[in-house]
Amino acid sequence: MTRFGYTLMTEQSGPKDLVRYAVSAERVGFDFEVSSDHYFPWLSSQGHAPYAWTLLGAVAHATEQVELFTYVTCPTMRYHPAVVAQKAATLQILADGRFTLGLGSGENLNEHVVGKRWPTVARRQEMLREAILIIRELFTGELVDWKGEHFEVDSARLWDIPETPVAIATAVSGERSIETFAPLSDHLIAVEPNKDFVDAWHDARRATGLPGGVRVVGQIPICWDPDRDTAIRRAHDQFRWFGGGWAVNADLPTTAGFDGATQFVRPEDVAESIPCGPDLDAIVDAVREYWEAGFTDIALVQIGDEGQDPFLKEAAGSLLEKLRS
């Protein structure tokens, strides 16, 4: 059965509110929760960017059953992979085995803050590959020394190893990244319902003798509101960046850049790509593309902080019933 998740969107809400939403989302019946890991919001109007790992530690203690993901962490520039391994192992202990480490090659928006040059796509993927290898080594609990092309690790060891190993899910964007990361990862992350990506991922794993039936985790924005016009205005104000595609979104360094890049995106353009308003069947139809493409896990992004409490109280339960049926 397809699992449905709730997104802790750190770009649009403060940390205390996010913990409260996490508890409510578990109570209403979501199967898992994913947290973005940003230093900046996409647009200034979103207005937030708390530290994801502190947030997830609090959520792990405030919830009991819901699975938790980073969606996604870049372990190459803002964080060294040795530090990511320690954070992930600690969070898995706090979450009693409910955590999956979602990794990706990052966006300039978040990684530029440490003052490093933003690499090309090919180089970012090389860095991510090496980072995953380091993280895997550290998860063994053994002493690790590493001198690679991009990273060094000097006599590092994780002293607190969770009983349940931390699974790694990796975000991909094309054939090259699928070939690179399918043999190194436990699960697939993708943000578009592309069946060819899913099939290629399974094929790449089988070609190396790994099992093909792994989790495929996607995410889709929605903007539920009793009033459709209000929903469209909110989606346009806070989520028009989404239409740029990852080739653009990965490279822009500031919220001002995203404001400029999306200045000609109209509210009706956003409404065509994001289901807006009270119609739950329209949301189900939009999500349907993901499970038909082979996604096993689909996280919903309810757009706008002011829309979270009404959505969780008035709509989420009924929506989950429709999705599961």
Side-chain angles (χ1 to χ4, degrees), residues 16-297:
K16 287 189 175 181
D17 285 330
L18 287 164
V19 174
R20 183 166 56 83
Y21 301 151
V23 172
S24 296
E26 179 180 58
R27 187 179 298 125
V28 82
F30 282 98
D31 301 303
F32 66 99
E33 298 177 4
V34 305
S35 173
S36 52
D37 186 354
H38 275 227
Y39 204 93
F40 270 72
W42 297 101
L43 297 166
S44 298
S45 58
Q46 291 179 310
H48 293 277
Y51 185 53
W53 290 87
T54 306
L55 167 69
L56 284 167
V59 170
H61 263 227
T63 57
E64 297 178 355
Q65 297 179 336
V66 70
E67 294 184 70
L68 304 175
F69 288 70
T70 47
Y71 201 96
V72 291
T73 286
C74 176
T76 61
M77 297 183 69
R78 187 165 39 116
Y79 309 135
H80 190 283
V83 176
V84 173
Q86 184 190 34
K87 294 192 289 191
T90 300
L91 184 54
Q92 182 73 309
I93 294 169
L94 291 172
D96 295 321
R98 293 182 283 135
F99 174 63
T100 296
L101 176 61
L103 298 176
S105 58
E107 298 101 13
N108 197 6
L109 180 70
N110 305 299
E111 307 308 316
H112 80 272
V113 297
V114 295
K116 295 181 180 179
R117 181 179 62 85
W118 185 235
T120 63
V121 173
R123 190 167 183 82
R124 294 200 304 269
Q125 292 185 357
E126 291 172 4
M127 294 171 72
L128 179 57
R129 179 184 181 279
E130 188 173 324
I132 293 174
L133 293 173
I134 291 169
I135 291 167
R136 291 282 195 199
E137 287 289 318
L138 287 164
F139 280 168
T140 67
E142 301 296 324
L143 193 68
V144 174
D145 285 285
W146 183 282
K147 187 174 178 63
E149 182 179 352
H150 304 289
F151 303 105
E152 291 189 27
V153 179
D154 185 4
S155 302
R157 175 187 172 187
L158 298 185
W159 290 86
D160 292 277
I161 300 295
E163 293 182 5
T164 302
V166 180
I168 293 177
T170 305
V172 302
S173 56
E175 292 182 7
R176 179 191 294 176
S177 58
I178 290 170
E179 292 175 0
T180 300
F181 299 116
L184 301 178
S185 311
D186 300 298
H187 308 299
L188 164 64
I189 288 174
V191 294
E192 58 179 300
N194 190 320
K195 188 176 188 301
D196 291 339
F197 282 5
V198 176
D199 292 342
W201 179 274
H202 293 319
D203 291 343
R205 288 180 59 83
R206 293 189 188 100
T208 57
L210 295 169
V214 299
R215 296 172 74 169
V216 180
V217 190
Q219 187 182 59
I220 180 171
I222 66 171
C223 195
W224 180 89
D225 193 276
D227 180 74
R228 188 168 186 269
D229 290 338
T230 298
I232 292 172
R233 284 194 297 271
R234 186 165 71 234
H236 178 260
D237 177 59
Q238 298 203 14
F239 234 79
R240 64 185 183 275
W241 63 270
F242 190 78
W246 291 107
V248 174
N249 294 347
D251 284 338
L252 293 177
T254 64
T255 54
F258 278 94
D259 278 329
T262 59
Q263 62 182 309
F264 300 115
V265 177
R266 303 168 302 171
E268 53 264 38
D269 299 326
V270 174
E272 286 180 5
S273 59
I274 296 174
C276 296
D279 188 349
L280 299 183
D281 290 328
I283 297 174
V284 172
D285 287 340
V287 176
R288 185 187 311 277
E289 294 183 46
Y290 283 82
W291 73 67
E292 289 180 346
F295 283 71
T296 62
D297 299 74

